[in-house]
Amino acid sequence: QVQLVESGGGKVQAGASLRLSCTASGRSISPYRMGWLRQAPGREREFVASISASNGFTYYSDSVKGRFTISRVDAQNTVYLLMKSLKPEDTAVYYCAAGSLTDLRAGQSDYRGQGTQVTVSS
């Protein structure tokens, strides 16, 4: 089992930046594709970004491409999401997750944290 704990959320104004962190425990994240999902009120949970285990290839949803950057430091069992040029439509609970690319892109995961709230005001 992998336990995931997110941190770094908060309330910011449009145009600001935030960096989310995800710390894992229980086992190493190194074999896992890691990702970030988000869920806004009244909406389905959606894919944000993922990073592969073996070669660090990254994938992003069209809505965040060019603004968000996902990274991982396996030695620290940590995954990051750097979010720049935040928009009000980025407001959501952000979840750290582990799973296949297919599952993550469907908003699903094998493991998922409790989430951290990001609120962007205009």
Side-chain angles (χ1 to χ4, degrees), residues 31-45:
Y32 295 97
R33 171 180 295 279
M34 301 299 296
W36 289 90
L37 310 176
R38 69 185 182 185
Q39 188 167 20
R43 300 189 63 176
E44 300 272 326
R45 192 164 55 241

Side-chain angles (χ1 to χ4, degrees), residues 36-40 42-48 93-95 97 103-109 112-113:
W36 289 90
L37 310 176
R38 69 185 182 185
Q39 188 167 20
R43 300 189 63 176
E44 300 272 326
R45 192 164 55 241
E46 65 176 6
F47 169 76
V48 176
V93 177
Y94 283 72
Y95 299 93
D103 283 348
L104 291 173
R105 292 179 71 177
Q108 304 299 314
S109 60
R112 189 172 70 244

Side-chain angles (χ1 to χ4, degrees), residues 18-36:
L18 277 177
R19 189 180 77 160
L20 305 183
S21 300
C22 168
T23 301
S25 61
R27 59 173 60 180
S28 172
I29 65 169
S30 57
Y32 295 97
R33 171 180 295 279
M34 301 299 296
W36 289 90

Side-chain angles (χ1 to χ4, degrees), residues 1-73:
Q1 289 284 339
V2 179
Q3 290 81 44
L4 303 170
V5 178
E6 304 91 341
S7 62
K11 296 180 180 180
V12 297
Q13 291 192 327
S17 299
L18 277 177
R19 189 180 77 160
L20 305 183
S21 300
C22 168
T23 301
S25 61
R27 59 173 60 180
S28 172
I29 65 169
S30 57
Y32 295 97
R33 171 180 295 279
M34 301 299 296
W36 289 90
L37 310 176
R38 69 185 182 185
Q39 188 167 20
R43 300 189 63 176
E44 300 272 326
R45 192 164 55 241
E46 65 176 6
F47 169 76
V48 176
S50 78
I51 183 166
S52 66
S54 55
N55 50 27
F57 281 179
T58 57
Y59 297 88
Y60 298 93
S61 67
D62 289 342
S63 61
V64 308
K65 197 174 298 181
R67 300 187 297 122
F68 290 13
T69 303
I70 187 172
S71 60
R72 61 191 295 162
V73 181

